[in-house]
């Protein structure tokens, strides 16, 4: 995958968007490579994914402005759907996805980070939806996910005023879970990914589904979604082994994803 480096470290996959000349901006090829990287994940082995950007300056500086500059209405609509389908694939990807935001996360970059389950960032990270300054609206879910994550008031301020926020403010408003130095960011992302990967994989996947699907419906329906996903776990070997280990007062050696 030309614009995405893919590495595996145990049960963790690390995807690095690698187009440094354009601060990792998303054109159609980069988006295709991101999709191909997710399609290539071996879900029998991988239990968490980390997405980051190459270099020390930028996670993703947005959708590619040069590529968008000449689009017609129809092309814009197609590009929006293309990106939205990929970001939705990430959002609903069976295993948790962590965005390790190592610099600019603007426009499509912030939208990519928001399609991940968890965001952590470096101190130099900058988040924003600057699209209205370019004469367009956010087009890869920015108006939707930002409002859901940090609340409509703050999201509207950022979107309408094209106001970027630094790492400390992103932490304060809940857009990121933690802020690290550049050097500490990837070790912290891997530590978190490995902590996730050490738990029963089917249970973790079901938790992701429960949170995501439950947020789309009212509480009465949401608890039914949770009940079903909870019940499914009782058909797994990992549930039996996890509970047996507790009762036998021993540490679980390894969950087998069965
Ligand atoms: N697209 C294309 N190239 C970009 C880019 C981008 N988003 N961001 C940076 N680059 C390129 C620059 O053009 C420059 O290329 P050369 O001139 O060297 O060839 C190189 O990366 C380095 O950038 P700078 O020289 O500008 O670096 P600085 O450190 O001075 O500034 C910056 C960094 C991130 C502050 C600045 O580059 C910047 O403001 N970039 C644009 C940020 C931005 O506005 N991002 C949002 C893009 S809009 C939709 C679908 C999607 C979207 C909307 C609608 N539909 C279809 C409905 C999404 C829209 C966006 O994401």
């Amino acid at each position: 995958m030309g614009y995405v480096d893919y590495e595996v470290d145990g049960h963790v996959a690390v995807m690095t968007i690698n187009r440094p000349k354009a601060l990792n901006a998303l054109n159609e090829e980069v988006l295709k490579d991101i999709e191909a990287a997710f399609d290539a994940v071996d879900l029998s082995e991988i239990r968490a994914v980390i997405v980051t950007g190459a270099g020390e300056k930028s996670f993703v500086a947005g959708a590619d402005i040069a590529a968008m500059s000449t689009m017609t209405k129809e092309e814009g609509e197609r590009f929006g759907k293309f990106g939205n389908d990929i970001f939705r694939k990430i959002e609903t990807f069976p295993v948790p996805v962590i965005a390790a935001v190592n610099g600019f996360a603007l426009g499509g970059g912030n939208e990519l980070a928001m399609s991940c389950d968890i965001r952590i960032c470096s101190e130099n990270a900058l988040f924003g939806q600057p699209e209205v300054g370019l004469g367009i609206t956010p087009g890869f879910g920015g108006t939707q996910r930002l409002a859901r994550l940090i609340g409509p008031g703050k999201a509207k301020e950022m979107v309408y005023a094209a106001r970027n926020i630094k790492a400390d403010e992103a932490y304060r408003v809940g857009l990121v879970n933690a802020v690290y130095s550049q050097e500490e960011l990837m070790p912290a992302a891997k530590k978190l990914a490995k902590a996730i990967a050490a738990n029963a994989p089917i249970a973790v996947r079901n938790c992701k589904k429960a949170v995501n699907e439950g947020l789309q419906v009212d509480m009465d329906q949401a608890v039914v979604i949770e009940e079903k996903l909870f019940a499914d776990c009782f058909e797994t070997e990992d549930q039996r082994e996890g509970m047996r280990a507790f009762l036998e007062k021993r540490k679980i050696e390894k969950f087998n994803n069965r």
Side-chain angles (χ1 to χ4, degrees), residues 19-23 25 57 61-66 68 71 75-77 79-80 104 106-109 111 130-131 134 136-140:
R19 194 192 172 208
K21 275 193 196 149
L23 301 181
K57 197 169 163 183
D64 191 307
I65 299 170
M68 286 190 297
M71 278 180 190
E75 287 165 343
E77 207 167 317
F79 185 60
F104 298 118
L106 300 173
E111 290 166 317
E131 285 87 346
L134 296 164
I136 56 173
T137 65
F140 291 152

Side-chain angles (χ1 to χ4, degrees), residues 124-170:
N124 64 324
L126 188 72
F127 298 84
Q129 298 292 154
E131 285 87 346
V132 292
L134 296 164
I136 56 173
T137 65
F140 291 152
T143 55
Q144 302 308 307
R145 292 195 181 92
L146 192 60
R148 284 166 171 78
L149 275 168
I150 66 173
K154 189 72 193 171
K156 285 175 175 175
E157 178 194 328
M158 286 177 66
V159 172
Y160 299 170
R163 194 169 88 70
N164 298 337
I165 60 172
K166 292 182 181 168
D168 55 345
E169 190 171 358

Side-chain angles (χ1 to χ4, degrees), residues 182-197:
Q182 273 279 357
E183 304 74 57
E184 288 171 329
L185 179 65
M186 281 313 288
K190 285 191 177 179
K191 190 173 171 197
L192 176 58
K194 285 180 180 180
I196 292 169

